[in-house]
Amino acid sequence: MEFIETKLAIVLLDLIGSTQFVQSVGAMKSAQWLQYHDRLARSLVYRFNGREIDRSDGFLLSFERPIDAVNFALTYQETIPPKTRLGCRIGIHWGKIVEVKQAEIYTMTGAKSVELEGVAKNISARTMSICQAGQVLLTLEAMKAIQGRTNSFTPRGTRYACVGEYRFKGVKETQIIYAVGSTIESLQPPPSGNKVKRIGGPGKIKSRIRDRKLKEWIVWFLVRYCLIMIFYMISTLIPIVINPYARRMNELDDLFHWVDYIVDFIAMFLGGVF
């Protein structure tokens, strides 16, 4: 057995609703489908120079370069869930970790050849636990390690956003968490979890003008057009409604005759005050 202290990017990938999926489709079909997912994921791990440490309802992975970990996570979220129809959340932390290389006698009985020990693994797991479906979250340490570093594998339109400060159960220091993604939905601050408490931060991450997609521009224009039309209708209708002669000319007297009582009441009230 050998112990090696090093710095690594630790990635926790968790499939959302996997237990329910197994129960709904059965053991055999779910095993075949999950193996299909794992083949896709492992091909990306190989592509981005990662290493598989463990596998359960997802993967525990390590990367020597933080940018490779981020590129893997972003590419995974963009390409694999649409194929497998299985939601996923990914947490990334950069920190000191102890690699435990097991003796051959233990690996022969099923032990992993390499295990990871240290609080960095716990921080990565806590970070992953508050992710929403399709989201990739990074700790401040991971963010600092990749800041300003991109390569040809980094998806276009990638944006980082600080989503808040959190307190992790079992971890002394509070953690500043960042989200990374190419859509505004993937950058929204996650709420507290079972073992994570949100302390503070932005309530919502807004899309920047240069990052807006066509759908976002359409929604942006429609909302403002509707508000302008409502204001125009109200400003046009009020002078007609409060004028009895104008109401009769527009055949609205039957519908708004009660407005005269309100106008008289307001006039009496103001007359009494002044």
Side-chain angles (χ1 to χ4, degrees):
M1 186 179 294
E2 184 179 0
F3 298 86
I4 301 174
E5 187 177 58
T6 185
K7 261 195 167 186
L8 292 171
I10 310 300
V11 176
L12 259 294
L13 182 155
D14 178 59
L15 292 176
I16 299 173
S18 57
T19 301
Q20 183 180 358
F21 172 72
V22 173
Q23 291 178 335
S24 63
V25 304
M28 180 59 71
K29 188 174 182 179
S30 64
Q32 295 170 343
W33 196 248
L34 290 172
Q35 284 300 311
Y36 168 64
H37 163 271
D38 291 354
R39 287 196 300 273
L40 295 174
R42 283 169 174 147
S43 68
L44 287 184
V45 174
Y46 174 80
R47 176 182 171 186
F48 290 103
N49 304 307
R51 179 178 55 169
E52 179 181 339
I53 304 299
D54 199 3
R55 184 262 189 197
S56 54
D57 288 341
F59 286 99
L60 169 62
L61 309 168
S62 71
F63 294 79
E64 292 186 0
R65 299 199 311 163
I67 189 61
D68 288 335
V70 172
N71 289 341
F72 160 81
L74 293 173
T75 305
Y76 175 99
Q77 294 289 30
E78 286 187 0
T79 61
I80 295 183
K83 296 178 181 178
T84 63
R85 300 189 297 277
L86 295 172
C88 177
R89 51 189 180 179
I90 301 177
I92 303 175
H93 176 60
W94 169 256
K96 288 184 179 180
I97 198 78
V98 176
E99 289 186 354
V100 182
K101 295 187 176 182
Q102 293 291 353
E104 184 178 357
I105 189 173
Y106 298 128
T107 59
M108 290 175 62
T109 61
K112 306 295 181 183
S113 59
V114 176
E115 297 175 355
L116 299 180
E117 299 293 347
V119 71
K121 185 170 70 172
N122 302 91
I123 293 175
S124 179
R126 296 283 190 268
T127 303
M128 176 274 295
S129 71
I130 57 173
C131 281
Q132 306 301 295
Q135 194 169 45
V136 179
L137 295 182
L138 298 82
T139 61
L140 176 61
E141 289 78 8
M143 183 65 188
K144 287 180 177 179
I146 64 167
Q147 199 164 28
R149 298 179 184 176
T150 60
N151 57 32
S152 60
F153 295 108
T154 305
R156 293 185 62 184
T158 296
R159 177 185 170 189
Y160 299 89
C162 179
V163 295
E165 184 176 7
Y166 295 79
R167 186 176 301 280
F168 292 177
K169 183 177 179 180
V171 180
K172 292 181 180 180
E173 300 83 6
T174 59
Q175 302 293 317
I176 305 297
I177 301 299
Y178 288 79
V180 57
S182 58
T183 65
I184 195 62
E185 291 80 12
S186 65
L187 299 176
Q188 296 310 307
S192 300
N194 291 333
K195 297 182 179 180
V196 178
K197 182 180 180 182
R198 178 175 167 83
I199 298 175
K204 182 180 180 181
I205 303 298
K206 297 181 179 179
S207 60
R208 299 179 300 191
I209 292 178
R210 69 174 181 267
D211 296 325
R212 288 177 185 161
K213 306 293 190 297
L214 177 61
K215 181 180 177 181
E216 293 177 296
W217 276 114
I218 292 174
V219 172
W220 188 87
F221 279 114
L222 283 177
V223 169
R224 281 152 182 81
Y225 175 77
C226 290
L227 290 174
I228 291 172
M229 291 304 297
I230 291 171
F231 176 78
Y232 172 76
M233 292 175 63
I234 292 175
S235 62
T236 303
L237 188 61
I238 287 178
I240 297 175
V241 168
I242 64 176
N243 187 321
Y245 177 75
R247 287 204 310 267
R248 288 193 294 271
M249 290 292 294
N250 289 275
E251 299 182 351
L252 297 173
D253 202 39
D254 291 340
L255 187 61
F256 292 105
H257 66 276
W258 49 268
V259 174
D260 290 337
Y261 299 104
I262 297 177
V263 173
D264 292 342
F265 175 80
I266 294 175
M268 291 175 58
F269 176 77
L270 294 177
V273 172
F274 297 102

